Amino acid sequence: MKAFMGLSGKQIIITLLGLACLAGSYYLMQTGLDELSHARQMERMPQTPIAALTRGPYVIAGEAEKAPDILITPYSGSEALYYRYKLEEEYRDSDGDLRRRTLESGQQGVDFLIQDPSGKVTIAPGHDLSEIEWNLERTYSSRSGNKIYSEWALRPGENLRVIGRYDHENKKMVFTGLEDFSLPALVSGFTLDIDGGGRLFSAAIRISIATGLLALGVALLLIAVKIHRFWVYVWIMSLAVSGTLSVLGVTRLNQEWQGIATLYESRYQYLNAGADQGENTPLVLADLSALRQLIQESTSGWLDRWKYRALVEKRLPMPELDTSTAEKARQIVESQPDIRFQHAWTSMGLSAASSVLAIMLILVALRTVKLKRLIEAVPTSSTEGLSFGLSELKAMVDVDDAFPPIRDPLRNEKCVAYDYTVEEKRGSGKDAKWHTVEHQEKRVPFWLEDNEGRVLVYPEGARIAYPKHHSEIRDNKRYTVRFLDTLVNVYCLGFAGLDRKQPDRLAMQKDGDSPFLISTKEEEDIILSQGAGGLTGTAVSLGLFLFSATVLLAADGSFSPDNLMFSALAVPLVLCAYLGVLHYNDIVFLKNRVDRARANIDTILQQRHDLWPNLEKVVTASLAHEKTLLQAIASLRNANPVEVNSVEQMDKLIRVEKQVTTTLLARIEGYPDLKNNTVISRFMNIMNETENYLALLRNSYTESVMIYNTRIQSFPDLILAKLFRFRQFTSNPATSTRGRQRLPKWSD
């Protein structure tokens, strides 16, 4: 209780939602498994001739006969053996929506007879008609003003199918004691394929939604306690789904097979007792044989085969039949329709729609989790310690005369970015809606300042979480502005690249597909928010994928406990694969970051290297006596930066270039013609501009290598690194696959 009281209001709401999802999951799972057991038992039960009834549960079919105590329906005034009625009223709610409410409803029934070619039997529904499922078509519908009258009636002369228990002493079909056999109490005007197919379809939907709610409930509870690690979710979900589906599925399977085995055993024992008294008829033998054959044919999966061998095949033998009785049994079996959902296009449409939606959600969840993991992987830098490449800063928004603020168009408050919308209300009443008539968005560069310095930010292309907003309604227009004001602390994740206006410094900016985020929230809050979105999206998409698969299986009549066991194993495997994709993408991102940092260094070194041949020609004539200097320049001309294969060699090349450049610039001070040469001028400009830039790139490369090497040596990334042959980046030239090169030596 103390722990619960310590939660915030938002956490309490999320916790309650999570618990509600788990409760709904349990209810739907239980009712779904009930529906599945009912459908499977109905498929095993042959349609027994009335003359073959002995005792226990049966499925019979025949024509309803007129009863002495015939009923009169309340609205149509027709004769009926059973009817259900409902009076509804249409009305408009406060929002103007057309709705219905029930004014009166009820049902009534009497005992009646049904007959088939072999005989007659009394159907006794009893007093509690609500305990029976009356699956009948609507026989009457009428409208009078805003009132709607409906009836569902069973009339004399109609064909129906009944699932009930034959009371041998009273010679009646009653509807109690069916739960132990996992059978529904049913009176239906439809055939087995329709009743069973609809029930199987309902079971698949309920179980898949239950699994989705379970996944969502676990995700919400983890979010409530601020756990955002995806591997924790995978572990808990694997235990929850596997445990729930395995325990509940196997338990219900045992009940189902115990019920059908008990049913067969009781009929078989009655058969033996009847044989001793000479009371058995060929119809009883044929019905028992048909039951045994249908039980055997229902063993479609390994779980069913295991239970069949354990409970039926090894314990209860087949009855001995003569040729005529065997033929009757064969006819009963062949007349049994396959259970299939009748609306195939509906099932395929639902499956396709849920698959598309699941794919969309999983892609969104992947991007969300990827950004979260990226925020965790990128270390926070200070403004002075900023490295080239993807970086994150925590600093204060500031402006100055060089980069002044702007004013928002609604309140005229000082800011660096705003989003302004003008909406107009059109329509009246419930149909009134706001339509955007004007939209403005403006952003200007600003500084991010901390204790060590400041860095310029170009916010174009950034995803800004505006911390403030104002809204006003004037006449029929609504004015809304969201803005990022000055002197507020923000979290910034973006690309630290060369400042477009001053190339010797870095600035935060948009770069390709790299994320660019500016928010006043704390980093931990952003991580929690991204984690919550990723877990929720994954949970919902998981439920949708399962829904798509089970709907198709149910429509084809193939949904079975084996599918539940497969789901129990598939869900953890899918989540582990999903986790593997996330970790693999992390490693690829970090490797590409190292490659890009190295490529940036190579580009700058190549740019400088391209000057050395022309520079050698220019200075040779004027500085012919500087043999050591000319030899060094010639060596640098031949030292291709692309072939440098280690950090040590790269550093050595940069040091030699710097020493040669310093000496060269000192020598040419005494040669005005040489000093004014365009090649020399270009060389001097490039060398001056790139010195600081190279230092930034080298720091970025070193940091990227350190983060990458650490990740591929840590579990579970270590497994993926070995599996996909991700190699460490090292400064040892002997381990490089590039060609080795002799670098120039220099002594002034």
Side-chain angles (χ1 to χ4, degrees), residues 721-742:
K722 291 184 177 297
L723 184 62
F724 294 98
R725 298 183 180 180
F726 287 100
R727 304 301 182 191
Q728 292 189 47
F729 285 92
T730 177
S731 59
N732 183 3
T735 62
S736 175
T737 58
R738 296 181 177 180
R740 300 195 60 178
Q741 177 183 4
R742 184 178 180 83

Side-chain angles (χ1 to χ4, degrees), residues 257 299-310 313 562:
W257 273 98
T299 57
S300 56
W302 65 272
L303 284 174
D304 282 329
R305 288 193 292 271
W306 167 54
K307 300 303 294 185
Y308 172 75
R309 286 194 295 267
E313 186 177 44
D562 279 7

